[in-house]
Structure formats: structure tokens, C-alpha cells
Amino acid sequence: MNVLGIIASGVAALFITVALAKSARRVALRPHVPDEPGGRAPRADVLRRTGGATAVLGVGTATGAALWLGAADGSAGSVGGLLAGAGTVAVLGLVHDLKPLGAAPRLAVQAGAAVLVVCLAGLSPAAGVLAVLWTVLVTNAFALLDHAHGLLTAVGLVTAAGLLACAVVGGDPALALLPTTLLAGLSGFLLHTWHPARLRLGAVGAQFTGFALAASGALVLAAAPAGRTAWAALPVLATVALADSVLVLISRRRAGRSPLRDTDDHIAHRLRRVRVTVPGAAVLAALWAAVPVASGTLVYAELLHPAFLLLPLAGTAAAVYALLRIPAYAPPRTAQSRTGSSRTASSRTTSSGVAPSRTAAARRTGATGAGAVIPAAAGAPGAKGAAPGQSAARTAAGQPTVPPPPTGRPAAEAATAAAERG
């Protein structure tokens, strides 16, 4: 495959992605239909959530057209397998966006797509098993980066550029086709997913991007010349994605949380807690990824010694350690509820000036005193009035007491009943 064919495929992917994303953005931002109350129409929310499908269509269309025109030469099987596997995973992501799926079916489909790539590429059984495991691991690691606006797109751009350089320098030049179109598609989608994002990659775009990068790296590694240190160079290209996964797993294990339950404990979430803006987090992650990608590319081109790869790896380990020291989880709900109840009680005490227990005791005392001073009903036999010179009974507040209502029983009947009992 010649350089002009690679450039033409990238330009086509860029224009198709930009056109589709602009149309989807216009529909997503269209005012809501009058008969649908409460904000924009549901189809607009679905378009925003699955906006990564535009990048998938742009990249897939350009790559498929290049394959149909015979641009891949003798590596049409490998490139076709990459495109078929990435497309399968993209469909899985689209289904997950519309109706969330469990981890088991997603891993099964990803593994099947990776096996398809390995079989069409003609790898040996040992290399095929390693390639399948690597592809599934890195696909999910990159998909986890879609937790902030523009983060996965920026890191994917840097990684695709490194894979493109490695594929051009050595191995099979036809394997540079998918990284080229992916680089162009993500570039056209970047402005739409940048903060504040009008469209999101979603699971469809994140799964497609992660699988394309992981599978392309595995095939470039397998096609590398024997004397080239690709085994050490290419895995470094996924440093940021793997660092985010390690950060999340260690943090959740320390906190006793489930590793499969996604919470706000990723790289961008922790950077936000130290007052880094959302665009700033995406830029920092892209710069972080650029260091190991550049180092790995230079080592792959035999311009640097493999020992230089220890520097970005050591820096990544230090960055993960520093991020682990940033609190990521809120206190338990029980502690919050207790604190809230104590604050409520203290505010009540402060506003009334009397503790709640004392207030309740005073109410009980007042009720007992008020009941004790209520005189007998007027006109009842044997009832004695107040002694001369004594004032009427009063409550603690100084108000006159109110006698209980009459029983409604005549005095004559009461005297007759008393005589009968006597």
C-alpha cells in the first residue's frame, strides 16, 4: 500500500466523520417537539449518547472503500479482519448504549471478535492466544477512559499516531490503514466531544476505538521484523489506559468496593478534585500518553535503546501513586445521616435555646399541672367550689382553666342511682 493511498483514506474518513457528526449535532440540539414536555426530545438524548457512531461510520466507510479498491495489497485478510472485529465490537457498544449489558456477554463478544482477527491474520496458536488476551484487556482499558469529555478522543489520537508511525517504519505497511483512518476520524470528532461536549463517543465509539488500537498493535507486533524490539515498544503505547485500570482496581480494592461497579475514581475524576478543569484533564492525559508513545516509537525504529522505556514507566508508576493519594470516595451514608441528624438536633436546640429532652420534660410537667388544677364540673353533686378568697385555678401560662364538659346525666338520675347502690 502506497503513501498516497493512506493519505486518501485518512482524508475520506475525516470528511465523512465531520459531515455525519455535524448532522447528528444539529439534530441533537434541535428544540424539543411541542407535544413532548420536559426538555429536548428523547431522540436527541439518544443521538448525544451514541454520537460515536458517526466516527465509527466514517472510519469504517473509508477503510472498507480502501479495501474494496485493493489498497491493502496482500494484507487484505488482516485489514479485513481488523475492520470486521472492530465493527462487531461497535455493534456491541451500540446495543450497550441503548440497553446496558452485563460484563459476561460483552467479554464474550470481544473475545470472539479478537479470535476472528487472529484467524484472518494467520497467527500461530501461541501468538493468537496472547493476541486475544491483549486485545480484550486493552479494549476495556481504553473504554474506561471515556469518563470525561474529550479524554478518550485525545488519548486515542496520540496512540493512533504512534501505531501509524510503527506500521510505516516496519512490518506490513498495509496495517497502517486502520490507524490512519482512526486518527482522521477521531480528529474530526474531537471538537464535538470537547468540553462542553455536544456529542459523546459512548460505548459504541469507545469500544470501537479501543479494539482498533489494541488489535492493530497486536498485528503490528506480530508482523515486526525479527531483530526489532517490538515486544517492548508496542505495549508501552497503551500506558495511560492501563494505568487508569490499575488505578481503579487498586483504589476499589483498598476501599472494599466491587471492581466491576463504575464510580468517580478514574484519572480525570481525581484531577478534578485538585481543581483541574475538564479540558485540562484531557490535555494532561494526552501529554502523559505522548511520552510513552514517543519513546515506544523511537525504540521500535531502533533510534533509542529499550532501556529508555523504563523512564516513562517509572513516571507512570509515580503518577498512579500520586493519584491514589487523592480521595475518591465520599463518606458512608450512615455517617452522613448521623451527622445530618445531629446537626438538625443541634440547630433545634440553638433556635429554641432549650435542649429537646428538657423541652419534652417541661411539656409533660405542664400537662400534668394543667390536669391537676381542672376543677370538677359545675352542678355535680358533692362538688365543692373554690374557697372564699381564693382565685380560680390557672395554668402555668396564667390562663384560666376550662372545666371539662358536662356528662349529660341529669342530677335526679344520679341521686336515684346512688340511692339504689346504697
Side-chain angles (χ1 to χ4, degrees), residues 247 270-271 274 315-327:
L247 171 69
R270 296 173 187 268
L271 292 177
V274 293
T316 299
V320 171
Y321 177 76
L323 290 172
L324 282 173
R325 298 179 63 87
I326 301 175

Side-chain angles (χ1 to χ4, degrees), residues 49-152:
R49 189 169 64 250
T50 60
T54 58
V56 173
L57 290 175
V59 173
T61 302
T63 307
L67 286 175
W68 183 66
L69 294 174
D73 299 331
S75 300
S78 299
V79 180
L82 280 174
L83 184 60
T88 302
V89 174
V91 173
L92 170 70
L94 180 61
V95 174
H96 182 67
D97 281 330
L98 300 177
K99 186 178 181 180
L101 301 174
R106 284 183 291 164
L107 292 176
V109 174
Q110 291 168 5
V115 170
L116 176 64
V117 173
V118 168
C119 292
L120 292 179
L123 300 182
S124 63
V129 171
L130 293 177
V132 169
L133 295 177
W134 169 260
T135 302
V136 174
L137 173 64
V138 176
T139 298
N140 290 279
F142 271 101
L144 289 178
L145 289 179
D146 190 30
H147 59 266
H149 296 173
L151 182 65
L152 175 58

Side-chain angles (χ1 to χ4, degrees), residues 206-227:
Q207 296 280 344
F208 179 84
T209 301
F211 188 90
L213 293 174
S216 297
L219 294 188
V220 171
L221 174 61

